[in-house]
Each structure stands twice: as C-alpha cells, then as structure tokens.
Amino acid sequence: MADREDRGLYLYGITRSRGWRNNKNEDGQVRVRFRDLEAITNPMVFELPPLDDEHVKGHQQVVEQVMRRTTILPAPFGIVFSGRRTLIQFLQDQYLMLDEALSFIDGYWELRMHVSAPGSGGPRSELQESATSIYSDMRRMARATVPFPRDADKLMSAAFLVDRAAWIDFVQRADDLGKANPELSIDVTGPWPPYDFVRVAEQPELTET
C-alpha cells in the first residue's frame, strides 16, 4: 500500500462527467467521479503546494485548458484532499451546491473589463459617469456581473459572465464604446474560467480524513 504522504489529490476544479472512460489522462491528471460530477485532480504528496508564481500559473493553465473543452467550476489554488474517499465525501456533501453552480455557468465564460482615463484632463465626475454608462451598456450582454473595488488608476473594473458563443460580440461592443468615448481607455481581457462567479471553497485548505 502506498505511504499516506503520497496519497494526496490536488483539486483543479469540477466538471460534468461524460460517461465511463479511463479516469487518468495523458497528463497524469486523475478524474474522480460522484454521480454526474467529475473532479479534475492531480496525485501529489499530501501537503500544501508552494504559493509561488510557478505553481499558481500551473494551476491556472490546467483550469484554462479544461475550460476550452467543457464547463469547469474552478477550484482556488491550494486545495488538497488526502485521497479518493475524502474527495468523494466532499462531492457528496456539496453535491447540490456544485450542481447548481455548474448549471449556472454552463456555456459561459468570464470576461473582465477595465475602464480608465489616462492623461485625460476632464472632470473626474464626468469621466466616472461615462464609465458607469459603459458598464450599464455591457451588463446587457452578460448573464451576471461582479464589480471590482475601485482603485486610483481605474474608473471601473468588473467581471462579466458571457455566453461563450457571444464573447467576440462582447469584445466588439466594448471596442465600439471605446471609439465613442475617446477620452476613456477600455481594456477587455479573457475569456477566462468563471473565477469570480463561483466558489468551490472559501479558502485554500488541506483536507484530511
């Protein structure tokens, strides 16, 4: 029997199961199923991974690769389960929440938009009003939005949950609004997994039996 410290399963996210297939892919990732849910994991030593750029980027790359193929409920960086039994128990306990979250984001991607006014000499209040109008316009193209806290450099920042078939239309609309408001700079990034619209857990944790 493998030593306990080698039984960890690192969680990338949750998807819908696509039927009975080999539970290990060519990248060494292991899929753990419960009912119609499938956890995308990677076997590792049972300990928290280092919180550094290399490991965080590696986590994001896996999540973003999966999102190109199917809807994924992304896990935050750093969730490790002690083994299959513990992970399946988590899927069982949280089934309704995970099922509802996957249904909500199914077929949607996240796009982020930032509006700023670099070098503009106009009154801040007028610029802010224009940015708010742009936000209201773009909200009509999204299923949901999450405004981000303002900072000194930006008039508005927000995440938008957009139908994956319409994300290019979203970008084009933002470009049109930018041309109509030359005093503003509109920056759209993505598409991303819906990081800002779902939570698999409130914070990274090491889960033991």
Side-chain angles (χ1 to χ4, degrees):
M1 181 179 293
D3 191 86
R4 178 179 175 83
E5 70 173 2
D6 294 323
R7 291 174 52 225
L9 287 173
Y10 180 88
L11 180 65
Y12 292 106
I14 311 294
T15 68
R16 295 287 188 195
S17 174
R18 294 191 171 184
W20 297 103
R21 57 183 179 180
N22 187 353
N23 71 346
K24 189 170 184 179
N25 67 17
E26 59 188 16
D27 296 321
Q29 296 160 15
V30 172
R31 294 181 289 271
V32 177
R33 299 184 186 90
F34 174 76
R35 295 177 62 177
D36 61 335
L37 301 182
E38 188 171 270
I40 308 300
T41 73
N42 192 48
M44 63 170 288
V45 173
F46 183 54
E47 63 183 22
L48 290 176
L51 183 59
D52 55 33
D53 287 346
E54 178 183 356
H55 286 84
V56 171
K57 288 179 180 178
H59 175 97
Q60 292 173 338
Q61 286 173 356
V62 172
V63 172
E64 289 165 18
Q65 287 169 0
V66 174
M67 89 161 194
R68 302 290 175 177
R69 303 191 300 268
T70 188
T71 298
I72 182 170
L73 189 66
F77 175 82
I79 295 182
V80 185
F81 291 85
S82 62
R84 291 178 62 90
R85 184 176 66 178
T86 308
L87 177 52
I88 290 173
Q89 185 65 52
F90 165 77
L91 295 175
Q92 180 178 2
D93 292 344
Q94 302 297 321
Y95 178 83
L96 290 178
M97 181 274 290
L98 296 171
D99 177 67
E100 289 177 359
L102 276 168
S103 296
F104 180 71
I105 64 172
D106 189 30
Y108 290 83
W109 282 338
E110 176 176 325
L111 287 103
R112 298 172 189 160
M113 186 172 71
H114 308 280
V115 181
S116 58
S120 175
R124 177 82 180 187
S125 60
E126 293 182 7
L127 296 171
Q128 186 66 64
E129 184 177 349
S130 296
T132 301
S133 177
I134 290 171
Y135 170 72
S136 297
D137 188 297
M138 300 303 293
R139 282 183 63 182
R140 291 195 286 269
M141 300 187 68
R143 180 170 192 178
T145 60
V146 175
F148 298 145
R150 293 178 187 171
D151 61 41
D153 297 328
K154 296 182 179 63
L155 297 166
M156 186 281 296
S157 292
F160 298 79
L161 191 63
V162 178
D163 190 310
R164 64 175 62 195
W167 76 272
I168 293 178
D169 294 335
F170 182 94
V171 174
Q172 291 175 340
R173 178 58 182 164
D175 185 58
D176 290 341
L177 290 172
K179 292 175 181 177
N181 296 271
E183 73 281 9
L184 301 179
S185 173
I186 302 177
D187 180 35
V188 176
T189 65
W192 308 103
Y195 292 117
D196 294 294
F197 295 91
V198 295
R199 293 289 183 272
V200 170
E202 291 300 319
Q203 60 184 13
E205 61 184 46
L206 192 67
T207 306
E208 296 190 64
T209 54

